[in-house]
Amino acid sequence: GARREAQAAVAQNLQHGSVLQNTNYLHAVFQEALRLLPPVPSLAGAAYMDFDIEVGGCKYVVPEGSTLNFHVFAGQRSDAYGPEPQHFDPSRWMSPGACKAKLMTY
């Protein structure tokens, strides 16, 4: 697992900053932990221009200056990001391109 991978990397005299880069499973564990427990539970911003959005089959106009909120905690648990989004599964980060394009970057 992650512990053995990290111990092997450190035993090879890697510099402290490069351990995560050379331990794929440990990196996946951190990414999955941040997905399930994001450092910021929600984000807010303002629309800088009018735009249209479709939600649940209904179209809405969002006027410029509207306050926009995104609940990161809920969004990262959507099944759009893979099976069983409520479960801790570092393997979702292991295959090339898996989830990385859809999940938030930390």
Side-chain angles (χ1 to χ4, degrees):
R3 183 180 176 136
R4 272 186 250 122
E5 190 178 39
Q7 287 173 330
V10 172
Q12 294 173 1
N13 296 320
L14 293 173
Q15 294 177 354
H16 176 74
S18 63
V19 171
L20 271 181
Q21 294 171 350
N22 292 288
T23 52
N24 293 332
Y25 188 74
L26 183 59
H27 182 72
V29 167
F30 277 103
Q31 290 292 94
E32 185 69 350
L34 288 169
R35 182 187 71 82
L36 286 173
L37 298 168
V40 178
S42 64
L43 301 170
Y48 59 86
M49 60 186 248
D50 294 351
F51 67 93
D52 299 332
I53 187 168
E54 186 174 329
V55 179
C58 296
K59 292 184 179 183
Y60 300 93
V61 175
V62 178
E64 179 180 351
S66 295
T67 300
L68 305 169
N69 292 295
F70 176 71
H71 198 267
V72 177
F73 190 85
Q76 296 292 68
R77 287 170 167 71
S78 169
D79 59 3
Y81 302 116
E84 300 182 353
Q86 299 291 334
H87 293 88
F88 184 81
D89 180 13
S91 69
R92 73 178 83 237
W93 296 91
M94 299 298 291
S95 61
C99 294
K100 295 175 187 174
K102 292 183 179 178
L103 293 172
M104 297 195 66
T105 304
Y106 300 99

